[in-house]
Structures are given as structure tokens and as C-alpha cells.
């Protein structure tokens, strides 16, 4: 399995409109059929020094393999999301995990 | 759902023994029944500036809710893992995500 986790920091976290727009953009990705499973969330209330809770949205996707992830990366729905939403974030942090 | 993602950096990445010991410790966590689902993996081959691929192991767990995660945190199997393996890592980075 291939797990693609993306953390987003809003450029204007004070803007409810921007937050709603990024949320809507993230939700649009659910329709990409190359994805096995997708979760969209926010930072949980847990607070410890080793926890980074500063992001605004988390997008976590599983794919059957890296090839399926590669299909997602160039899928028109994903490219449209990046094009329409990239002005909304100031930082993106990704972790791609390969499991047995 | 509550998603608990932990990235581990080995203190001695050149040590195959340490790598195997941490892997075994992570595998021991699968038996904690408070966990809904667990994945253990390594950095995928993807390379882009926004991807952090420098960690040695990823531990990704889902829980039905934060209360189940809290049970895991103080579970004897988890506490034993930390006690027996904490000398193996130099850094741990956690992201806790709450989904609808």
C-alpha cells in the first residue's frame, strides 16, 4: 500500500472564506477513482512537544500501489485543485509511506 | 475518526540491528486492541521538495475516536515499546488528525 499524507497551512488562516474554499477543493479530490481511500481532517486537540498541530487541514490518501498514486498526481481533478487552490496555502508538507 | 501518524528517525541509521529492533517494536503495537487499523512503513521513493522522506519508519494508526487513542497511549504494550525502544530513535514527529 502507498499512503500519501499532505498537511496544509493556510496563507490567511483568519479568512473563513479561504478555509471553506480549501476544504471544498480537498473534497473535490474524493472523486478521483485512482484513490483507494481518502480522509480529510484537522488537527486533533492532542498537545505534546512531538506533535505538530499547527496545520489547518490534513489530506490522507491510500493507494493500492505507487502507480495508482502516480495516476492521481496527474489526474485532471487533482491538477485543477492545485491550480484553483494553490493561492490559499502558504505551506504544504507531504509524507509518502510505502507499506508491505 | 482519529488518525495518529508517527515518523521515526533512527539514532543510528547505519545499524541494521537497531533498525530490526525498532521494526519489531513497532510490530508489537499491532496487538493493542484499542487500535482500529495500523500500518507500518518506510519512505516511498517519491522525491519532491515538499516531501519529507528522511524518516526511517512511519507508524500510522486509526482509532474510532480520541478516547480510543487515549487508551492506546497508556496501554502496557505501548508503554513497554517506548521503554524498550526509545534509545533507538533520535527524533519522533507526530501528527494527530481528527476527521468528521
Amino acid at each position: 500500500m502507498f499512503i500519501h499524507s499532505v498537511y496544509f497551512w493556510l496563507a490567511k488562516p483568519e479568512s473563513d472564506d479561504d478555509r471553506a474554499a480549501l476544504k471544498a477543493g480537498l473534497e473535490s479530490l474524493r472523486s478521483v477513482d485512482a484513490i483507494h481511500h481518502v480522509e480529510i481532517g484537522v488537527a486533533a486537540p492532542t498537545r505534546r512537544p512531538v506533535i505538530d498541530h499547527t496545520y489547518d487541514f490534513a489530506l490522507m490518501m491510500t493507494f493500492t500501489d505507487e502507480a495508482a498514486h502516480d495516476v492521481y498526481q496527474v489526474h485532471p481533478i487533482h491538477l485543477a485543485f492545485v491550480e484553483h487552490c494553490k493561492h490559499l496555502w502558504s505551506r504544504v508538507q507531504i509524507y509518502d509511506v510505502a507499506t508491505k
Side-chain angles (χ1 to χ4, degrees), chain A:
Chain A
M1 184 176 284
F2 186 103
I3 308 172
H4 178 63
S5 301
V6 192
Y7 300 92
F8 297 86
W9 284 259
L10 285 165
K12 297 179 184 174
E14 72 282 6
S15 168
D16 290 342
D17 286 350
D18 281 15
R19 191 173 296 270
L22 182 52
K23 179 74 162 26
L26 292 168
E27 293 289 348
S28 76
L29 299 173
R30 292 187 188 273
S31 61
V32 179
D33 55 10
I35 304 167
H36 176 68
H37 186 75
V38 57
E39 293 283 351
I40 297 165
V42 297
T46 48
R47 294 291 181 269
R48 284 181 287 148
V50 290
I51 298 172
D52 186 347
H53 66 274
T54 63
Y55 59 92
D56 294 290
F57 286 105
L59 171 69
M60 312 184 79
M61 295 175 165
T62 60
F63 299 89
T64 52
D65 54 25
E66 188 176 345
H69 160 267
D70 294 347
V71 169
Y72 161 76
Q73 282 294 338
V74 296
H75 192 288
I77 293 173
H78 179 228
L79 297 179
F81 162 74
V82 173
E83 181 63 25
H84 296 143
C85 291
K86 64 185 177 187
H87 68 286
L88 298 172
W89 59 72
S90 60
R91 183 186 166 207
V92 167
Q93 180 69 59
I94 296 175
Y95 297 84
D96 284 339
V97 173
T99 69
K100 295 285 179 344

